Amino acid sequence: MEADAISNATPTEEVNGPGNLMDFLDEPCPDMGTYEDFHTIDWLREKSRDTDRHRKITNKSKESIWEFIKSLLDAWSGWVVMLLIGLLSGTLAGVIDLAVDWMTDLKEGVCLSAFYYSHEQCCWTSNETTFDDRDKCPQWQKWSELMTGYNEGAGAYLLNYFLYVMWALSFSLMAVSLVRVFAPYACGSGIPEIKTILSGFIIRGYLGKWTLLIKTVTLVLAVSSGLSLGKEGPLVHVACCCGNLFCSLFSKYSKNEGKRREVLSAAAAAGVSVAFGAPIGGVLFSLEEVSYYFPLKTLWRSFFAALVAAFTLRSINPFGNNRLVLFYVEYHTPWYMAELVPFILLGVFGGLWGTLFIRANIAWCRRRKTTQLGKYPVLEVIAVTAITAVLAFPNPYTRRSTSQLISELFNDCGALESSQLCDYYNSPNMTRPVDDIPDRPAGPGVYTALWQLALALIFKIVITIFTFGMKIPSGLFIPSMAVGAIAGRIVGIAVEQMAYHHHDWIIFKNWCRPGADCVTPGLYAMVGAAACLGGVTRMTVSLVVIMFELTGGLEYIVPLMAAAVTSKWVADAFNKEGIYEAHIRLNGYPYLDQDEFTHRTLATDVMRPRRTDPQLAVLTQDGTTVEDVETLIKDTDYNGFPVVVSRESERLIGFVQRRDLTLAIKTARQKQDGVVSNSVVYFTEDAPQLPPNCPQPLKLRRILNLSPFTVTDHTPMETVVDIFRKLGLRQCLVTRSGRLLGIITKKDVLRHMAQMTNQDPESIMFN
């Protein structure tokens, strides 16, 4: 039998009522019942422990006023944790937003009046800024102007170009160095690992204090370097780190891994709330995308945490527009039924882009893992940053930060807009109000912007494939939205110009009269962004809610829904896995997804030991010595052992965890006189009949789980998979008429599912 055949063994439950864990101890051993790194928790056991704890507190609360106050504090501790998570994650998100704005602008110039001001803040404070040149003010100087006194000409352009690349390289070098030296877990988006942790897997240090600190600092550096990545995914990781930090303050959460995961689900909601300024979308994202176990109580607490986080971010006001987000837009034109056709086409584009991105990115990440490339993460980051900076600077749409690009693409062209995208020919006798400008013919600025956007689209599609997954914090939401927003804006301008020049066509005749404001290109950008994000992540409900909270476009829910559903259908036609599930599979995390298992196999086909494997390692209820147990632990890697009446009968009694056995024997040798190597270990209620000269036996019944989950050998695997998924089991034992035949662990189930889909079953291991 393979070394991990019992790799997901369960800690024992306190099955014999109140009392100590071991008969020879006055107090329970502190590490008893805890889990080792890279193991799966037992949800049933954690729920049982919390029920026992709650029952004790309730009973004690009737004894005195002090105990009653303690019970109230325990009941309120969950809300206190949510409040703290919301405050800290909101504050960190605000600080990150402000720092990213400043450092992004630092690549191009500096504010002379206050070096810590971004370009926008610098010009806000200036009294010499004119409306037409609102981005230019004497206090803000580009590097060439500061160093040479010249702002125009080839020399100034090359100096600015060189310094832009140098700043980008220095930011990314600092980011990858900090991650590599101090917190290797701070790299990537973090959402695949958060999903795995919330499903019950233990990854020690992934949500630690160092990870929180380094991820916050390096996220600012990575985004400021101009790489094609976003801060939204990593903010979920940052919020979960905050949740884990505050869990350690309350024993209710620090000592129960199941309760801890309820807090982390709420923290993920707070992370999305501050990432997008979308509290309701954050709760739905946690429910739809990352959470494995989401009771109603967690829903309320997630809502509260997301509310506090959003309120804190709004108080900081990092964007200076009194909004939670940078992308807030107000469109003044309704959408028309005929526009559903281009919206659905954008959904098809989103689905195709999602499929292309996932396949290409996973192929590149697999190559990184299996070749020499993975040994040089710093070099890879520097190379990708250099290529990105060199190619991005000449194009104004790739030079600026991706968030600013999306904001400009979402914007409607009002009378006050100075963007190139709004360079239309105006009618000299136009007397309409500024909010209702009719469709106009595109000017030269629009056509220049179109080919620049087309180049930016190709650049973003290609470079994002190589950027996501590098050893720096890297989110995928913003780059995906940028790809969709660029494609959407191009389609929007095309439809707008068709409607203007061919308003007599039958498709435009009914709803677009000459001189009317028919088409809003910014809306197409918004729909395209939703379609591409949905194609990559396969989100639907939470995506639509996030998008309308993000932009304030409540009226445009139907176009967003149409695009999101279409992109999911198209992408699912090629492969049902989203980017996060694909990375979970690539890394070999033991994550049991929600897809149906439809193959006709039985428990006996999956259980261990197989015919060619060694005999199942078991303990007998009263015929094993301490030395036998220690030898079994030393010679095997199993994390638990079934306990049977005798090796002849193989009648199942219960199940005991390796960690509990080791701690019990170690503690007994220290605290109980007479326990030696040839002492008999027994799991029965009464001590066995022993010869007079035998050393004192060791009773370990209290660490025995007397009710392990069992199935028969003819149980369909469809049922077994459902049991593992819905009950959160680590393993179940296979019996026939009470006789032990074998064991099925979570990893055995995952291997079998991989085998049934023609994948490599050995890929199911933590890598």
Side-chain angles (χ1 to χ4, degrees), residues 165-355:
V165 175
M166 286 300 105
W167 277 112
L169 288 171
S170 62
F171 289 159
S172 63
L173 178 61
M174 278 193 284
V176 71
S177 302
L178 286 169
V179 167
R180 191 179 172 130
V181 174
F182 294 106
Y185 281 152
C187 67
S189 138
I191 292 180
E193 287 77 12
I194 297 294
K195 283 189 72 152
T196 309
I197 289 169
L198 290 179
S199 76
F201 196 55
I202 304 273
I203 308 178
R204 302 247 180 255
Y206 198 83
L207 301 174
K209 299 181 189 71
W210 268 112
T211 307
L212 172 61
L213 177 63
I214 299 300
K215 186 117 187 178
T216 305
V217 174
T218 54
L219 181 55
V220 173
L221 291 165
V223 175
S224 303
S225 69
L227 284 163
S228 183
L229 48 84
K231 59 182 184 293
E232 282 64 25
L235 274 173
V236 175
H237 186 185
V238 166
C240 285
C241 288
C242 297
N244 193 55
L245 177 70
F246 292 123
C247 278
S248 61
L249 304 178
F250 299 88
S251 60
K252 175 180 179 179
Y253 298 107
S254 62
K255 293 183 179 178
N256 190 301
E257 293 292 345
K259 296 294 288 180
R260 187 196 296 266
R261 273 149 185 75
E262 291 180 24
V263 171
L264 296 180
S265 289
V272 174
S273 172
V274 292
F276 288 114
I280 301 169
V283 176
L284 291 173
F285 174 83
S286 181
L287 174 62
E288 180 183 359
E289 190 64 23
V290 296
S291 293
Y292 199 81
Y293 173 62
F294 203 84
L296 190 62
K297 181 169 58 178
T298 305
L299 181 71
W300 305 133
R301 290 183 175 171
S302 300
F303 188 77
F304 179 65
L307 166 71
V308 174
F311 175 77
T312 307
L313 184 66
R314 171 68 177 75
S315 304
I316 295 170
N317 192 20
F319 304 113
N321 58 0
N322 290 325
R323 305 281 185 191
L324 283 171
V325 284
L326 187 60
F327 311 137
Y328 191 85
V329 289
E330 287 181 294
Y331 301 134
H332 304 283
T333 311
W335 62 277
Y336 299 92
M337 285 300 292
E339 289 183 286
L340 276 178
V341 175
F343 293 152
I344 288 169
L345 289 176
L346 283 171
V348 172
F349 171 77
L352 293 173
W353 143 252
T355 304

Side-chain angles (χ1 to χ4, degrees), residues 97 139 215 243 289 298 393 411 485 518 540 576 579 724 764:
D97 286 333
Q139 284 84 353
K215 186 117 187 178
E289 190 64 23
T298 305
F393 187 83
N411 264 339
C518 307
T540 49
K576 289 190 180 296
I579 186 68
F724 268 87
I764 305 299

Side-chain angles (χ1 to χ4, degrees), residues 508-690:
F508 301 118
K509 210 169 192 178
N510 295 331
W511 57 277
C512 193
R513 300 180 309 279
D517 182 13
C518 307
V519 180
T520 308
L523 172 60
Y524 286 74
M526 191 165 90
V527 171
C532 282
L533 187 53
V536 171
T537 62
R538 309 298 160 84
M539 294 172 2
T540 49
V541 180
S542 55
L543 171 67
V544 172
V545 175
I546 285 171
M547 287 304 297
F548 85 69
E549 282 190 278
L550 185 68
T551 56
L554 190 62
E555 191 181 339
Y556 304 102
I557 285 183
V558 173
L560 290 170
M561 288 172 71
V565 169
T566 307
S567 73
K568 182 170 171 60
W569 280 343
V570 171
D572 281 354
F574 293 96
N575 193 338
K576 289 190 180 296
E577 275 186 339
I579 186 68
Y580 302 129
E581 290 77 18
H583 273 271
I584 285 170
R585 188 163 53 82
L586 177 69
N587 291 324
Y589 298 134
Y591 180 79
L592 202 56
D593 59 30
Q594 303 297 325
D595 289 342
E596 287 186 21
F597 183 83
T598 55
H599 303 280
R600 298 176 67 82
T601 50
L602 301 176
T604 189
D605 302 323
V606 181
M607 73 176 190
R608 311 243 174 197
R610 305 281 171 81
R611 289 177 184 173
T612 55
D613 291 338
Q615 195 175 0
L616 189 66
V618 297
L619 296 170
T620 56
Q621 66 176 2
D622 57 8
T624 314
T625 64
V626 169
E627 186 178 20
D628 293 337
V629 174
E630 289 176 329
T631 303
L632 184 64
I633 290 170
K634 184 180 175 183
D635 293 345
T636 63
D637 294 325
Y638 310 142
N639 284 335
F641 306 95
V643 178
V644 295
V645 173
S646 67
R647 295 187 187 278
E648 293 75 34
S649 71
E650 293 281 339
R651 293 280 175 187
L652 182 66
I653 298 293
F655 193 87
V656 65
Q657 190 194 16
R658 174 200 189 96
R659 184 179 175 84
D660 289 355
L661 264 179
T662 308
L663 283 168
I665 291 172
K666 181 182 174 183
T667 311
R669 282 185 181 276
Q670 292 171 352
K671 295 193 175 184
Q672 186 174 350
D673 295 332
V675 174
V676 291
S677 292
N678 58 342
S679 295
V680 171
V681 174
Y682 67 98
F683 296 94
T684 53
E685 194 63 52
D686 301 315
Q689 295 296 322
L690 299 171

Side-chain angles (χ1 to χ4, degrees), residues 360-370 468-469 583 586:
N361 181 252
I362 292 298
W364 178 251
C365 289
R366 187 173 286 114
R367 186 175 180 81
R368 184 188 288 133
K369 276 181 176 291
T370 55
F468 188 69
H583 273 271
L586 177 69

Side-chain angles (χ1 to χ4, degrees), residues 88-101:
L88 184 57
S89 55
T91 304
L92 288 175
V95 170
I96 287 169
D97 286 333
L98 291 169
V100 164
D101 279 352

